[in-house]
């Protein structure tokens, strides 16, 4: 296996500190999910057996790679056409790196930097930036209109409704663009890794984690779940109130069908919110495990530039 054996503390070519200090960063989550993310990181990092950790990493990576990417990397593992052998030998490749570190490969950092620059997704990121700017502008305009010219709720809704609808559309556009950018960047860097024998075991030395969730995506998911939760609760309360009034007065105000529709739709909405919340937790865990599975493991390399300090800003991951 190429580039996966060596001493625990090899010395190698000088690389950027932002590469050398990379650890598998989790997604930038909202405050409500940071404790859960920290718990998941601790659980994954608490495994003291490199063999078990390597097997878990190999399973995650094999599922993350596309079929074409697995076929491209399989010859280096001598596991063409055999998924079980692919996972087993990838786990062994990863175990050696986890236990012993990895021998330096001269072009690894430069090649990774060039691949990462090529995978920036500038167009999608530009679209995300424009959508976020539009979102902020529309929200500010709606707030200014509300504060400068107070009006009855019905009239106010007519005035700022189009602005809020435009803000919601801008948020969706930003979230979709950000998600596509993350997905395409990750695929491009995985393409780079599978073209290099032994690289999946070593990890990918990127400046920014491959599975970092973007703020627009997390905001859109949070607001969507919150809106669905509020609508479901209101539907249940209104339906229950109407049903109680009907029972007390013994005469239907709206009829039984609309009341039951409100109750059932509200209950279904609550079930959907719980299910989506569980899926979001599983997505968070998956992102964390992917980040840990692709973590760069050539830990013995040191930065020979004495002027290099701690990374700052976006480089701190």
């Amino acid at each position: 296996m190429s580039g996966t054996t060596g001493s625990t503390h090899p010395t190698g070519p000088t690389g950027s500190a932002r590469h050398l200090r990379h650890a598998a960063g989790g997604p930038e989550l909202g405050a409500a999910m940071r404790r859960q993310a920290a718990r998941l990181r601790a659980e994954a990092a608490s495994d003291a057996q490199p063999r078990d950790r390597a097997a878990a990493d190999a399973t995650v990576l094999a599922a993350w790679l596309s079929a074409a990417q697995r076929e491209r990397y399989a010859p280096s593992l001598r596991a063409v056409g055999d998924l079980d052998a692919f996972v087993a030998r990838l786990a062994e490749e990863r175990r050696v790196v986890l236990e012993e570190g990895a021998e330096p490969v001269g072009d690894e950092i430069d090649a990774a930097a060039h691949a990462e620059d090529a995978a920036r997704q500038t167009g999608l990121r530009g679209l995300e930036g424009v959508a976020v700017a539009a979102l902020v502008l529309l929200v500010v305009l709606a707030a200014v209109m509300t504060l400068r010219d107070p009006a009855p709720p019905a009239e106010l809704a007519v005035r700022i409704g189009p602005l809020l609808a435009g803000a919601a559309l801008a948020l969706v556009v930003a979230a979709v663009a950000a998600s596509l950018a993350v997905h395409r960047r990750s695929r491009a860097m995985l393409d780079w890794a599978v073209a290099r024998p032994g690289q999946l075991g070593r990890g990918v030395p990127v400046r920014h984690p491959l599975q970092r969730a973007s703020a627009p995506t997390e905001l859109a998911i949070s607001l969507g779940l919150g809106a669905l939760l509020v609508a479901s609760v209101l539907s249940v309360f209104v339906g229950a109130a109407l049903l109680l009034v009907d029972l007390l007065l013994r005469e239907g105000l709206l009829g039984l069908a609309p009341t039951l529709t409100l109750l059932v739709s509200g209950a279904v909405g609550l079930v959907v919110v719980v299910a989506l919340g569980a899926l979001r937790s599983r997505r968070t865990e998956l992102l964390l495990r992917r980040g840990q599975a692709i973590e760069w493991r050539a830990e013995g390399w040191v930065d020979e530039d004495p002027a290099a300090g701690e990374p700052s800003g976006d480089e701190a991951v």
Side-chain angles (χ1 to χ4, degrees):
M1 179 175 60
S2 173
T4 56
T5 59
S7 62
T8 306
H9 300 287
T11 59
T14 302
S16 170
R18 59 188 179 183
H19 283 292
L20 300 177
R21 293 186 177 91
H22 166 66
E28 295 175 344
L29 304 174
M33 299 189 69
R34 285 176 183 165
R35 287 191 297 272
Q36 179 189 17
R39 177 180 62 80
L40 291 169
R41 286 194 188 95
E43 287 179 358
S46 64
D47 187 359
Q49 300 298 325
R51 187 176 299 276
D52 295 338
R53 168 69 185 275
D57 287 352
T59 302
V60 170
L61 284 173
W64 189 11
L65 296 172
S66 66
Q69 288 171 334
R70 286 196 298 268
E71 290 176 4
R72 191 176 181 186
Y73 198 71
S76 68
L77 298 175
R78 299 184 300 279
V80 177
D82 189 340
L83 182 58
D84 291 337
F86 182 95
V87 174
R89 290 169 184 169
L90 179 57
E92 181 63 17
E93 181 179 273
R94 185 70 168 166
R95 181 193 63 79
V96 172
V97 176
L98 289 173
E99 290 182 340
E100 303 178 11
E103 292 179 350
V105 176
D107 67 335
E108 183 175 29
I109 290 179
D110 289 339
H114 288 308
E116 190 174 6
D117 289 340
R120 281 180 177 175
Q121 305 301 321
T122 306
L124 287 171
R125 289 303 184 184
L127 177 60
E128 177 190 352
V130 171
V132 169
L135 167 65
V136 173
L137 178 62
L138 290 171
V139 170
V140 170
L141 287 176
V144 170
M145 290 180 62
T146 302
L147 295 175
R148 290 186 59 183
D149 189 12
E155 183 180 347
L156 184 62
V158 172
R159 289 182 180 179
I160 68 172
L163 294 177
L164 295 181
L169 178 60
L171 178 59
V172 171
V173 171
V176 172
S179 296
L180 285 175
V182 170
H183 175 75
R184 291 183 178 180
R185 176 176 176 269
S186 296
R187 284 297 170 194
M189 293 308 299
L190 289 175
D191 281 339
W192 172 82
V194 298
R196 298 168 61 92
Q199 194 65 55
L200 289 180
R202 298 168 65 84
V204 180
V206 292
R207 286 163 286 188
H208 308 292
L210 295 186
Q211 287 294 282
R212 174 181 294 174
S214 64
T217 303
E218 293 302 313
L219 180 59
I221 293 174
S222 299
L223 290 179
L225 287 176
L228 181 57
L229 177 61
V230 170
S232 300
V233 171
L234 287 177
S235 180
V236 169
F237 274 111
V238 172
L242 291 176
L243 181 60
L244 179 60
V245 171
D246 285 348
L247 292 176
L248 291 176
L249 299 180
R250 297 180 180 275
E251 56 182 31
L253 296 178
L254 297 176
L256 185 59
T259 301
L260 291 179
T261 299
L262 287 172
L263 285 172
V264 172
S265 61
V268 170
L270 291 175
V271 172
V272 171
V273 168
V274 173
L276 292 178
L279 289 175
R280 187 184 187 190
S281 297
R282 292 186 63 180
R283 171 179 172 270
T284 301
E285 183 176 3
L286 177 62
L287 293 179
L288 290 171
R289 285 298 297 125
R290 283 178 174 178
Q292 290 160 347
I294 206 67
E295 179 183 5
W296 194 49
R297 300 301 300 181
E299 294 180 344
W301 290 14
V302 295
D303 187 2
E304 296 176 359
D305 182 3
E310 290 295 326
S312 60
D314 291 340
E315 295 178 359
V317 294

